[in-house]
Amino acid sequence: DTAVSQTPKYLVTQMGNDKSIKCEQNLGHDTMYWYKQDSKKFLKIMFSYNNKELIINETVPNRFSPKSPDKAHLNLHINSLELGDSAVYFCASSQGQGMTDTQYFGPGTRLTVL
Amino acid sequence: GENVEQHPSTLSVQEGDSAVIKCTYSDSASNYFPWYKQELGKRPQLIIDIRSNVGEKKDQRIAVTLNKTAKHFSLHITETQPEDSAVYFCAASSAVDSSYKLIFGSGTRLLVRP
């Protein structure tokens, strides 16, 4: 009955590799997000999708490509991984894209690039 | 661009004492201010939020106050308990075209000493 789930929980990989993180929500929400939390715990939005349509793209390098096959899923693919990509990536979802729509976070994926 | 500043970065209190965390925001159009609690290795979880038409909101031991004129809001935790130990994030909504995003503060690590 997990509301927002992500896989994998941990990801360790070499520089230059390509990797994907998957996210699914079973809340029936229309809007999904990707956040990056760096080593200093700073939480910053990367992307948001509403009903499979890209809404927000926060000047993220184009090595990062989100994909939403349906409104319950939002995956994140990262090409040519760099050391600076090491972080915890959180998926989140909300009922809609309104100002007061509560965002529910997934458990996070800790990405370590060696 | 939009910015949310949060203070202090760390806070240590004795069990039973009160804790106060303060945030200021730059976007005068922000109208929604959630607070998230993140325990070690876990996901951020919403603990309380406040909308701009309200000056104060309380939920058991936690309360949030908002001063729109001064563009600052605060989280108050009374009768702190060891399980309150976590990182707390404030956030402010900011409009992006027809959607909204949350701008997070840098977090406050709260330690409640038994």
Side-chain angles (χ1 to χ4, degrees):
Chain A
D1 59 342
T2 305
V4 184
S5 58
Q6 294 177 229
T7 55
K9 189 168 175 60
Y10 300 97
L11 188 50
V12 181
T13 188
Q14 299 285 336
M15 259 188 350
N17 284 349
D18 303 338
K19 290 293 179 185
S20 292
I21 307 171
K22 295 186 176 182
C23 178
E24 177 181 2
Q25 54 93 6
N26 62 5
L27 296 166
H29 287 170
D30 287 340
T31 308
M32 296 184 73
Y33 312 80
W34 277 110
Y35 284 87
K36 179 180 181 180
Q37 186 171 46
D38 62 24
S39 58
K40 295 184 178 179
K41 297 294 188 184
F42 194 66
L43 198 59
K44 190 169 179 359
I45 188 167
M46 301 172 68
F47 303 100
S48 80
Y49 271 70
N50 188 64
N51 267 322
K52 303 191 298 176
E53 181 184 344
L54 179 66
I55 300 297
I56 294 173
N57 183 341
E58 283 287 294
T59 58
V60 177
N62 58 15
R63 297 184 295 105
F64 291 78
S65 52
K67 283 186 172 51
S68 183
D70 54 62
K71 74 173 193 177
H73 296 84
L74 180 61
N75 304 323
L76 183 65
H77 188 77
I78 316 171
N79 289 327
S80 304
L81 278 155
E82 300 177 356
L83 293 176
D85 297 332
S86 295
V88 180
Y89 291 85
F90 285 100
C91 176
S93 73
S94 62
Q95 183 66 56
Q97 53 181 327
M99 180 178 61
T100 61
D101 285 313
T102 299
Q103 294 186 24
Y104 297 88
F105 284 79
T109 296
R110 182 174 294 276
L111 170 65
T112 302
V113 182
L114 303 174
Chain B
E2 312 89 359
N3 188 43
V4 175
E5 293 193 1
Q6 183 171 347
H7 300 280
S9 56
T10 59
L11 180 58
S12 180
V13 300
Q14 194 71 39
E15 182 178 359
D17 288 350
S18 295
V20 180
I21 302 170
K22 298 183 179 183
C23 290
T24 59
Y25 59 97
S26 61
D27 185 355
S28 56
S30 292
N31 282 315
Y32 175 64
F33 308 91
W35 286 86
Y36 282 82
K37 175 183 180 182
Q38 186 178 25
E39 297 177 359
L40 188 62
K42 300 288 181 65
R43 73 189 77 193
Q45 291 194 294
L46 179 75
I47 55 171
I48 195 167
D49 58 17
I50 190 167
R51 291 162 174 72
S52 62
N53 58 347
V54 175
E56 183 173 357
K57 183 176 176 181
K58 193 173 181 181
D59 182 4
Q60 298 182 343
R61 294 186 299 108
I62 60 173
V64 58
T65 58
L66 171 65
N67 183 329
K68 279 222 77 178
T69 304
K71 290 194 285 187
H72 66 69
F73 56 113
S74 301
L75 177 72
H76 304 251
I77 306 174
T78 58
E79 300 171 32
T80 53
Q81 301 167 2
E83 51 264 39
D84 294 330
S85 296
V87 178
Y88 290 81
F89 293 95
C90 63
S93 65
S94 185
V96 179
D97 297 326
S98 60
S99 184
Y100 293 89
K101 65 180 180 182
L102 290 179
I103 308 296
F104 282 85
S106 53
T108 296
R109 187 177 300 278
L110 173 64
L111 174 65
V112 179
R113 305 186 305 274

